[in-house]
Amino acid sequence: MIALGIDLGGTNVKGVVITDAGEILAQQTNPIKNYDWKKAVSELFQTISSKLADQKCIVGLAAPGLPDETNRQINFMPGRLEGLERFDWSEFLKRDVHVLNDAHAALLAEVEFGVAKGKKHVVILTLGTGVGGAILINGQLYQGINQRAGSIGDISLDAESSDIGPLQVPGTLENAIGNESVAKRSDNKFLTTSDLVNTYLTGDPFAMEVWLLSVKKLAVALSSIINILAPEMIVIGGGIAQANEALFEPLAKYLERYEWRPDGKATPIVKAHFNEYAGAIGAACFASKKSK
């Protein structure tokens, strides 16, 4: 059995076809033009389907927001991708489509074929425009009530902050390190995290102050997650993870200070194996499991 996974983002739609063994048979990225994400998904689906000839495949779709309890549609996604809420993907594509949150999909990709393969207790954070997350417990994706589990970006690091996150929580991790807030955090000196990190690497004092404070807050959040869930591993993915050692070296130093290690062992903090196609691969994995 082969599976087609589709990842719906804010600017692009990505698709990948994989086998049960993880072999990638096809992959493609389509830009979303004029905010018409429905058309972008439809065109990608038709193009990839035509390449498969008569091969039957199952379909999974990853998107931001909270799926319904049957994983057939996104029930809640305020403020982004207008029209996505309660949109019937199976009716639209004339195929059974299994829908899940994009960060949940990224976790499944790592557990099935990536750095967390064989692990039973894993947490993933996706650091990008915002901060997403997902949790694996006893080898199973934990989605919780209303499929809302894993909103790690909405951990509060400052209850007195005037910055209120989209889920009504003040002083969130997402605000501390997400790309969307970098301009505000840097007094508009940096418009993207990439610009901030590149300047940090030159030794610029202000860039070092801004970046290291963000990494310090991330370490505090990770230490709290470790105390609550005691995972075997935490995976860091998303665009900000591509900062590589500029992120992981200071993060490790802060974790030495904040992580409680009763057995003397640090919880492994690992960069995700998959990057831009993580959501699509995870959506394909999810569809495969649902079809069995």
Side-chain angles (χ1 to χ4, degrees), residues 146-194:
N146 292 325
Q147 315 280 42
R148 64 182 294 182
S151 296
I152 294 171
D154 291 282
I155 288 175
S156 177
L157 300 174
D158 181 5
E160 300 300 318
S161 174
S162 60
D163 291 310
I164 307 299
L167 302 190
Q168 304 177 35
V169 176
T172 63
L173 173 61
E174 181 168 285
N175 186 68
I177 200 167
N179 194 58
E180 189 169 325
S181 66
V182 70
K184 184 175 182 179
R185 286 186 277 123
S186 66
D187 297 328
N188 291 312
K189 289 183 170 61
F190 304 103
L191 299 181
T192 68
T193 301
S194 179

Side-chain angles (χ1 to χ4, degrees), residues 69-89:
E69 62 182 10
T70 61
N71 290 95
R72 308 300 289 182
Q73 62 187 21
I74 295 295
N75 262 2
F76 302 103
M77 184 60 250
R80 290 177 59 193
L81 298 173
E82 183 178 353
L84 177 64
E85 292 183 337
R86 296 174 178 79
F87 183 76
D88 191 330
W89 286 102

